[in-house]
Amino acid sequence: MSNFTKYDQEMLEIIRDPVKWAEHHLGEKPRWYQEQILRHPHHRKVLRCGRRIGKCIEEDQRIMNPETGEYAPVKELFQRQRDGGATPLLTLNEEYKLEKSEAFYIEDNGVKETFAVVTKHGARVVLTGNHPVLTVDGWKEVDALRIGESIATPKMLPVYGQKQVDKHKLRILAYMLAAGRFNKDSISFQARYEGVRETMLESCESLGIKTYRDRHKKATIYLINFASFDFYQEVRQRKIPSFVYELDREHLAFFIGSLYSAGGWFFAGRICEIGYATKNRQFALDLKHILLRFGIQANLLQKEMNDSIYYHLMVYHRSSILLFLEHLATPERDYEEIKGRAMEMASSEPTLPKEVWKYIEEERREKGLKKADVVGKGNRRYRVEKGISLSNARIYAENLQSAMLYDYIHADVLWEEVVEIVPLGKRQTYDVFVPETHNLVVEDIMVHNTWTMCAHMLWVAFTCNGGTKLTKGAACVVATPYDNQARLIFDQLKTFIDNNPVLQESVKSITKNPYVIEFKNKSIIRLFTAGTRSGSEGGSLRGQRADWLYMDKRIIDSLSPMLATA
């Protein structure tokens, strides 16, 4: 040992310690719980790792409670956790369906560099650069995300609370948020429609808010003692109060309907539209989120008028317009014209992004089919440069007998194109640890992590640690229930390798069908699927040499009855 330099000793420590190895080669210091997993001393164990560990988000990003409707920032949930409280959240399962998760833990992650990921239709979330979002190609870190790629956002969020608030208060809150005016000497409301004017006066009278009108300004209602209104501060700040997200379905619909009655517009031209304009981007994002609770898809557009920036929240699709008219329309406005025109409109449907074509092409070749066999009869064409309508995708899935395409079609997600990735500098962030679920919905975007499992696998393969026959390298076997989990882990492994020249040099070959990574030191990583929907057989795991076995939670769950009787 006397001939060892200090550098040699440091390198030896790094090789022996998976935590130091991961920090050195992968460029990220593991969290406390990841250190516990990576440093577990036993060499004969099944490593049951969550692919769902370590989600780092900016402190003001909000998580929705699927039981109460509450929409709270992660920093508030962190403080509540310290006080002994807990909050469920929404996750996405293997079939791309939203479900509730009860178990998660939040940890202070300190001040980190953050980035805003913005989609074409206006969804926006702020994450650290190493935080994955869901793309068609699997979960991809923000640092590796490209403009033009499509990421997953919820198709709808059918969540309502149980709170009820006096409808007169809700109406005045909505009306004043939409068309209230705060001048130096007066507070007023601009009532452009007779029905809105009448109901405003009715609600003010009910709550004891005194009003008067100038005969020269018939559309203006002046409010004398409005400063005593319960939600005066929120109106002044043009902010939707937090309690609104916890309203029951009836009262939430009444609030949004009143907001649009006073400040929205309805156009029944060749293409129908329902619109709302505001100078406050956050207000527009909040409104977009609430519409999503009714299944209404809205596009957020930025406009410039008279040297001012406005945000237009637009509802275009026939199905969303009809949902709005069915659930949110109020008697104060006349909706008959737009309703009649919307009924005449051709139905539009979401599309799957063009990136799906490469997976269709892989399956087509594997099954020996011609392109004409995939698209079937009719005028459909095999056009890989364009997105795929859901109606066409259903035909392709049937012709291909594709479980992957079936999941995409019936998913609870829409794929939105990334248009901006904006550096925001260093901000306070938090880890959201979700051990028993797949991911979480933050600011209406899916986020996820596979860090720990992949870091451990690469350390084992690179250093041959844990192998019983080191002359043959270390063998890592991964068992997942579905192909999309295997692809997720494989993609994360490949990302780590592609981003590190030392790891690149250590790899002999990488194949995707089957999922195998071979190293020059004779180590190997193999990934298997045991689910019937993937088309793979669980029996393919039999007889495999494995120094380390990595198993998805659902594989563990399926084995539990057998283990209990063994």
Side-chain angles (χ1 to χ4, degrees), residues 435-479:
E436 300 299 332
T437 58
H438 302 268
N439 44 69
L440 67 157
V441 180
V442 179
E443 293 289 343
D444 300 342
I445 289 179
M446 314 296 182
V447 297
H448 198 294
N449 198 300
T450 63
W451 198 95
T452 311
M453 181 186 288
C454 295
H456 191 274
M457 262 185 276
L458 288 173
W459 171 71
V460 166
F462 185 84
T463 64
C464 295
N465 269 285
T468 55
K469 299 176 181 178
L470 297 184
T471 57
K472 293 186 177 180
C476 301
V477 169
V478 184

Short mmCIF file of all heavy atoms in Angstrom, two decimals, residues 435-479:
data_model
loop_
_atom_site.label_atom_id
_atom_site.label_comp_id
_atom_site.label_asym_id
_atom_site.label_seq_id
_atom_site.Cartn_x
_atom_site.Cartn_y
_atom_site.Cartn_z
N PRO A 435 -42.50 5.86 -2.49
CA PRO A 435 -41.96 4.50 -2.55
C PRO A 435 -42.90 3.47 -3.17
O PRO A 435 -42.44 2.47 -3.69
CB PRO A 435 -41.69 4.17 -1.08
CG PRO A 435 -42.65 5.01 -0.32
CD PRO A 435 -42.78 6.28 -1.10
N GLU A 436 -44.19 3.69 -3.10
CA GLU A 436 -45.11 2.65 -3.53
C GLU A 436 -45.91 3.00 -4.78
O GLU A 436 -46.85 2.29 -5.13
CB GLU A 436 -46.09 2.32 -2.39
CG GLU A 436 -45.41 1.82 -1.13
CD GLU A 436 -44.64 0.53 -1.36
OE1 GLU A 436 -45.04 -0.24 -2.25
OE2 GLU A 436 -43.65 0.30 -0.66
N THR A 437 -45.58 4.12 -5.42
CA THR A 437 -46.31 4.49 -6.63
C THR A 437 -45.33 4.85 -7.73
O THR A 437 -44.14 4.90 -7.52
CB THR A 437 -47.24 5.69 -6.34
OG1 THR A 437 -46.46 6.76 -5.86
CG2 THR A 437 -48.32 5.33 -5.34
N HIS A 438 -45.84 5.13 -8.87
CA HIS A 438 -44.98 5.27 -10.03
C HIS A 438 -44.41 6.66 -10.23
O HIS A 438 -43.33 6.80 -10.77
CB HIS A 438 -45.76 4.88 -11.30
CG HIS A 438 -46.28 3.50 -11.23
ND1 HIS A 438 -45.59 2.43 -11.70
CD2 HIS A 438 -47.41 3.01 -10.68
CE1 HIS A 438 -46.28 1.32 -11.47
NE2 HIS A 438 -47.39 1.65 -10.86
N ASN A 439 -45.12 7.67 -9.90
CA ASN A 439 -44.75 9.03 -10.23
C ASN A 439 -45.74 9.95 -9.55
O ASN A 439 -46.56 9.49 -8.77
CB ASN A 439 -44.79 9.22 -11.76
CG ASN A 439 -46.01 8.58 -12.34
OD1 ASN A 439 -47.11 9.04 -12.13
ND2 ASN A 439 -45.84 7.48 -13.07
N LEU A 440 -45.69 11.21 -9.85
CA LEU A 440 -46.70 12.12 -9.32
C LEU A 440 -47.01 13.21 -10.34
O LEU A 440 -46.25 13.46 -11.26
CB LEU A 440 -46.24 12.76 -8.01
CG LEU A 440 -45.07 13.74 -8.03
CD1 LEU A 440 -45.15 14.66 -6.81
CD2 LEU A 440 -43.73 13.02 -8.02
N VAL A 441 -48.18 13.82 -10.16
CA VAL A 441 -48.61 14.92 -11.02
C VAL A 441 -48.29 16.22 -10.30
O VAL A 441 -48.78 16.47 -9.20
CB VAL A 441 -50.12 14.84 -11.32
CG1 VAL A 441 -50.55 16.00 -12.21
CG2 VAL A 441 -50.46 13.51 -11.99
N VAL A 442 -47.43 17.03 -10.92
CA VAL A 442 -47.05 18.33 -10.36
C VAL A 442 -47.38 19.40 -11.40
O VAL A 442 -46.91 19.34 -12.54
CB VAL A 442 -45.54 18.38 -10.04
CG1 VAL A 442 -45.16 19.74 -9.49
CG2 VAL A 442 -45.17 17.28 -9.05
N GLU A 443 -48.19 20.38 -11.01
CA GLU A 443 -48.58 21.45 -11.94
C GLU A 443 -49.07 20.88 -13.28
O GLU A 443 -48.73 21.36 -14.35
CB GLU A 443 -47.41 22.42 -12.16
CG GLU A 443 -47.03 23.23 -10.93
CD GLU A 443 -48.04 24.29 -10.55
OE1 GLU A 443 -48.89 24.65 -11.41
OE2 GLU A 443 -47.99 24.78 -9.41
N ASP A 444 -49.85 19.78 -13.20
CA ASP A 444 -50.47 19.16 -14.37
C ASP A 444 -49.46 18.59 -15.36
O ASP A 444 -49.71 18.55 -16.57
CB ASP A 444 -51.41 20.14 -15.07
CG ASP A 444 -52.53 20.61 -14.16
OD1 ASP A 444 -52.78 19.95 -13.14
OD2 ASP A 444 -53.15 21.64 -14.45
N ILE A 445 -48.29 18.16 -14.87
CA ILE A 445 -47.29 17.47 -15.69
C ILE A 445 -46.80 16.27 -14.90
O ILE A 445 -46.65 16.33 -13.68
CB ILE A 445 -46.13 18.41 -16.08
CG1 ILE A 445 -46.61 19.46 -17.10
CG2 ILE A 445 -44.95 17.63 -16.67
CD1 ILE A 445 -45.55 20.45 -17.53
N MET A 446 -46.56 15.13 -15.60
CA MET A 446 -46.09 13.91 -14.95
C MET A 446 -44.58 13.98 -14.71
O MET A 446 -43.83 14.30 -15.64
CB MET A 446 -46.37 12.69 -15.83
CG MET A 446 -47.77 12.64 -16.42
SD MET A 446 -49.03 12.51 -15.15
CE MET A 446 -50.49 12.41 -16.20
N VAL A 447 -44.15 13.64 -13.49
CA VAL A 447 -42.72 13.59 -13.19
C VAL A 447 -42.38 12.25 -12.54
O VAL A 447 -43.21 11.61 -11.92
CB VAL A 447 -42.28 14.76 -12.30
CG1 VAL A 447 -42.49 16.08 -13.00
CG2 VAL A 447 -43.02 14.75 -10.96
N HIS A 448 -41.10 11.82 -12.64
CA HIS A 448 -40.73 10.45 -12.29
C HIS A 448 -39.23 10.37 -12.02
O HIS A 448 -38.49 11.28 -12.33
CB HIS A 448 -41.08 9.55 -13.47
CG HIS A 448 -41.15 8.10 -13.14
ND1 HIS A 448 -40.08 7.35 -12.76
CD2 HIS A 448 -42.20 7.25 -13.18
CE1 HIS A 448 -40.45 6.09 -12.57
NE2 HIS A 448 -41.73 6.00 -12.82
N ASN A 449 -38.74 9.23 -11.46
CA ASN A 449 -37.30 9.04 -11.28
C ASN A 449 -36.94 7.57 -11.19
O ASN A 449 -37.62 6.80 -10.54
CB ASN A 449 -36.83 9.74 -10.00
CG ASN A 449 -35.34 9.95 -10.00
OD1 ASN A 449 -34.57 9.02 -10.06
ND2 ASN A 449 -34.93 11.20 -9.91
N THR A 450 -35.83 7.16 -11.80
CA THR A 450 -35.34 5.78 -11.75
C THR A 450 -33.90 5.75 -11.25
O THR A 450 -33.19 4.78 -11.45
CB THR A 450 -35.35 5.16 -13.15
OG1 THR A 450 -34.44 5.89 -13.98
CG2 THR A 450 -36.71 5.20 -13.77
N TRP A 451 -33.45 6.77 -10.59
CA TRP A 451 -32.03 7.01 -10.33
C TRP A 451 -31.36 5.89 -9.54
O TRP A 451 -30.32 5.37 -9.92
CB TRP A 451 -31.90 8.35 -9.59
CG TRP A 451 -30.54 8.94 -9.63
CD1 TRP A 451 -30.07 9.87 -10.51
CD2 TRP A 451 -29.45 8.65 -8.74
NE1 TRP A 451 -28.77 10.17 -10.24
CE2 TRP A 451 -28.36 9.44 -9.15
CE3 TRP A 451 -29.31 7.80 -7.66
CZ2 TRP A 451 -27.14 9.41 -8.50
CZ3 TRP A 451 -28.08 7.76 -7.00
CH2 TRP A 451 -27.01 8.56 -7.43
N THR A 452 -31.95 5.51 -8.41
CA THR A 452 -31.24 4.63 -7.48
C THR A 452 -30.95 3.26 -8.07
O THR A 452 -29.82 2.76 -8.00
CB THR A 452 -32.07 4.46 -6.18
OG1 THR A 452 -32.48 5.74 -5.72
CG2 THR A 452 -31.27 3.77 -5.10
N MET A 453 -31.97 2.63 -8.64
CA MET A 453 -31.80 1.30 -9.20
C MET A 453 -30.72 1.30 -10.27
O MET A 453 -29.84 0.43 -10.30
CB MET A 453 -33.13 0.81 -9.77
CG MET A 453 -33.06 -0.59 -10.37
SD MET A 453 -34.59 -1.08 -11.19
CE MET A 453 -35.65 -1.33 -9.79
N CYS A 454 -30.77 2.26 -11.17
CA CYS A 454 -29.82 2.30 -12.28
C CYS A 454 -28.40 2.61 -11.80
O CYS A 454 -27.44 2.04 -12.32
CB CYS A 454 -30.27 3.34 -13.31
SG CYS A 454 -31.84 2.91 -14.10
N ALA A 455 -28.28 3.49 -10.82
CA ALA A 455 -26.95 3.81 -10.28
C ALA A 455 -26.31 2.57 -9.68
O ALA A 455 -25.12 2.29 -9.89
CB ALA A 455 -27.06 4.93 -9.24
N HIS A 456 -27.10 1.79 -8.93
CA HIS A 456 -26.56 0.60 -8.31
C HIS A 456 -26.15 -0.43 -9.36
O HIS A 456 -25.08 -1.05 -9.26
CB HIS A 456 -27.59 -0.01 -7.35
CG HIS A 456 -27.02 -1.08 -6.47
ND1 HIS A 456 -26.93 -2.40 -6.86
CD2 HIS A 456 -26.48 -1.02 -5.21
CE1 HIS A 456 -26.38 -3.11 -5.89
NE2 HIS A 456 -26.10 -2.30 -4.88
N MET A 457 -26.98 -0.63 -10.37
CA MET A 457 -26.66 -1.59 -11.42
C MET A 457 -25.36 -1.24 -12.12
O MET A 457 -24.52 -2.11 -12.38
CB MET A 457 -27.80 -1.62 -12.45
CG MET A 457 -28.78 -2.74 -12.25
SD MET A 457 -29.97 -2.77 -13.59
CE MET A 457 -31.14 -1.57 -13.01
N LEU A 458 -25.19 0.01 -12.48
CA LEU A 458 -23.98 0.42 -13.20
C LEU A 458 -22.74 0.28 -12.33
O LEU A 458 -21.67 -0.11 -12.82
CB LEU A 458 -24.14 1.86 -13.70
CG LEU A 458 -25.11 2.04 -14.87
CD1 LEU A 458 -25.31 3.52 -15.17
CD2 LEU A 458 -24.61 1.32 -16.12
N TRP A 459 -22.85 0.57 -11.05
CA TRP A 459 -21.72 0.40 -10.14
C TRP A 459 -21.32 -1.08 -10.07
O TRP A 459 -20.14 -1.43 -10.16
CB TRP A 459 -22.08 0.92 -8.75
CG TRP A 459 -21.05 0.57 -7.70
CD1 TRP A 459 -19.80 1.09 -7.58
CD2 TRP A 459 -21.20 -0.39 -6.65
NE1 TRP A 459 -19.15 0.52 -6.51
CE2 TRP A 459 -19.99 -0.39 -5.92
CE3 TRP A 459 -22.23 -1.24 -6.26
CZ2 TRP A 459 -19.79 -1.22 -4.81
CZ3 TRP A 459 -22.04 -2.06 -5.16
CH2 TRP A 459 -20.83 -2.04 -4.45
N VAL A 460 -22.32 -1.96 -9.92
CA VAL A 460 -22.07 -3.39 -9.86
C VAL A 460 -21.39 -3.87 -11.13
O VAL A 460 -20.37 -4.58 -11.10
CB VAL A 460 -23.38 -4.17 -9.62
CG1 VAL A 460 -23.19 -5.66 -9.90
CG2 VAL A 460 -23.89 -3.95 -8.21
N ALA A 461 -21.94 -3.48 -12.28
CA ALA A 461 -21.41 -3.95 -13.56
C ALA A 461 -20.01 -3.39 -13.83
O ALA A 461 -19.12 -4.09 -14.31
CB ALA A 461 -22.35 -3.55 -14.69
N PHE A 462 -19.81 -2.13 -13.50
CA PHE A 462 -18.53 -1.46 -13.78
C PHE A 462 -17.40 -2.02 -12.91
O PHE A 462 -16.26 -2.17 -13.37
CB PHE A 462 -18.69 0.04 -13.55
CG PHE A 462 -17.48 0.86 -13.93
CD1 PHE A 462 -17.29 1.27 -15.24
CD2 PHE A 462 -16.55 1.22 -12.97
CE1 PHE A 462 -16.18 2.04 -15.58
CE2 PHE A 462 -15.44 1.99 -13.30
CZ PHE A 462 -15.26 2.39 -14.62
N THR A 463 -17.72 -2.33 -11.64
CA THR A 463 -16.68 -2.73 -10.69
C THR A 463 -16.66 -4.23 -10.41
O THR A 463 -15.76 -4.71 -9.72
CB THR A 463 -16.89 -2.00 -9.34
OG1 THR A 463 -18.14 -2.42 -8.77
CG2 THR A 463 -16.89 -0.50 -9.53
N CYS A 464 -17.67 -4.97 -10.93
CA CYS A 464 -17.80 -6.43 -10.67
C CYS A 464 -18.10 -6.72 -9.21
O CYS A 464 -17.94 -7.86 -8.75
CB CYS A 464 -16.55 -7.20 -11.09
SG CYS A 464 -16.24 -7.18 -12.86
N ASN A 465 -18.56 -5.76 -8.45
CA ASN A 465 -18.87 -5.98 -7.05
C ASN A 465 -20.08 -6.90 -6.92
O ASN A 465 -21.05 -6.77 -7.66
CB ASN A 465 -19.18 -4.66 -6.34
CG ASN A 465 -17.94 -4.06 -5.73
OD1 ASN A 465 -17.45 -4.53 -4.72
ND2 ASN A 465 -17.42 -3.03 -6.39
N GLY A 466 -20.02 -7.80 -5.96
CA GLY A 466 -21.16 -8.66 -5.68
C GLY A 466 -21.19 -9.93 -6.48
O GLY A 466 -22.01 -10.80 -6.23
N GLY A 467 -20.37 -10.06 -7.46
CA GLY A 467 -20.37 -11.27 -8.27
C GLY A 467 -19.75 -12.44 -7.53
O GLY A 467 -18.79 -12.29 -6.77
N THR A 468 -20.29 -13.65 -7.76
CA THR A 468 -19.73 -14.83 -7.11
C THR A 468 -18.55 -15.38 -7.91
O THR A 468 -17.71 -16.10 -7.37
CB THR A 468 -20.80 -15.92 -6.99
OG1 THR A 468 -21.36 -16.18 -8.29
CG2 THR A 468 -21.91 -15.47 -6.06
N LYS A 469 -18.50 -15.05 -9.19
CA LYS A 469 -17.40 -15.50 -10.05
C LYS A 469 -16.87 -14.28 -10.80
O LYS A 469 -17.32 -13.96 -11.89
CB LYS A 469 -17.90 -16.56 -11.03
CG LYS A 469 -18.44 -17.81 -10.35
CD LYS A 469 -19.00 -18.79 -11.37
CE LYS A 469 -19.56 -20.03 -10.68
NZ LYS A 469 -20.15 -20.98 -11.65
N LEU A 470 -15.95 -13.59 -10.15
CA LEU A 470 -15.51 -12.31 -10.69
C LEU A 470 -14.81 -12.43 -12.02
O LEU A 470 -14.75 -11.48 -12.79
CB LEU A 470 -14.59 -11.61 -9.66
CG LEU A 470 -15.26 -11.25 -8.33
CD1 LEU A 470 -14.28 -10.48 -7.45
CD2 LEU A 470 -16.53 -10.45 -8.54
N THR A 471 -14.29 -13.63 -12.33
CA THR A 471 -13.65 -13.80 -13.64
C THR A 471 -14.66 -13.73 -14.77
O THR A 471 -14.31 -13.53 -15.93
CB THR A 471 -12.92 -15.15 -13.70
OG1 THR A 471 -13.85 -16.21 -13.43
CG2 THR A 471 -11.77 -15.19 -12.71
N LYS A 472 -15.93 -13.90 -14.42
CA LYS A 472 -16.98 -13.83 -15.43
C LYS A 472 -17.75 -12.51 -15.34
O LYS A 472 -18.77 -12.32 -15.97
CB LYS A 472 -17.96 -14.99 -15.25
CG LYS A 472 -17.35 -16.35 -15.56
CD LYS A 472 -18.43 -17.42 -15.50
CE LYS A 472 -17.85 -18.78 -15.88
NZ LYS A 472 -18.88 -19.85 -15.85
N GLY A 473 -17.26 -11.59 -14.53
CA GLY A 473 -17.97 -10.34 -14.35
C GLY A 473 -19.18 -10.52 -13.46
O GLY A 473 -19.45 -11.60 -12.94
N ALA A 474 -19.91 -9.43 -13.23
CA ALA A 474 -21.13 -9.48 -12.41
C ALA A 474 -22.36 -9.49 -13.31
O ALA A 474 -22.42 -8.77 -14.29
CB ALA A 474 -21.18 -8.27 -11.47
N ALA A 475 -23.33 -10.31 -12.96
CA ALA A 475 -24.56 -10.43 -13.76
C ALA A 475 -25.71 -9.76 -13.02
O ALA A 475 -26.03 -10.13 -11.88
CB ALA A 475 -24.87 -11.89 -14.04
N CYS A 476 -26.32 -8.79 -13.66
CA CYS A 476 -27.48 -8.08 -13.10
C CYS A 476 -28.71 -8.47 -13.91
O CYS A 476 -28.72 -8.34 -15.14
CB CYS A 476 -27.29 -6.58 -13.15
SG CYS A 476 -25.85 -5.97 -12.26
N VAL A 477 -29.75 -8.93 -13.25
CA VAL A 477 -31.01 -9.29 -13.91
C VAL A 477 -32.12 -8.41 -13.34
O VAL A 477 -32.26 -8.29 -12.12
CB VAL A 477 -31.34 -10.77 -13.72
CG1 VAL A 477 -32.76 -11.07 -14.18
CG2 VAL A 477 -30.35 -11.64 -14.50
N VAL A 478 -32.89 -7.80 -14.23
CA VAL A 478 -34.00 -6.92 -13.83
C VAL A 478 -35.30 -7.57 -14.27
O VAL A 478 -35.45 -7.97 -15.43
CB VAL A 478 -33.88 -5.53 -14.48
CG1 VAL A 478 -34.98 -4.61 -13.97
CG2 VAL A 478 -32.51 -4.94 -14.23
N ALA A 479 -36.26 -7.70 -13.35
CA ALA A 479 -37.58 -8.27 -13.67
C ALA A 479 -38.65 -7.21 -13.47
O ALA A 479 -38.77 -6.64 -12.38
CB ALA A 479 -37.86 -9.47 -12.78
#
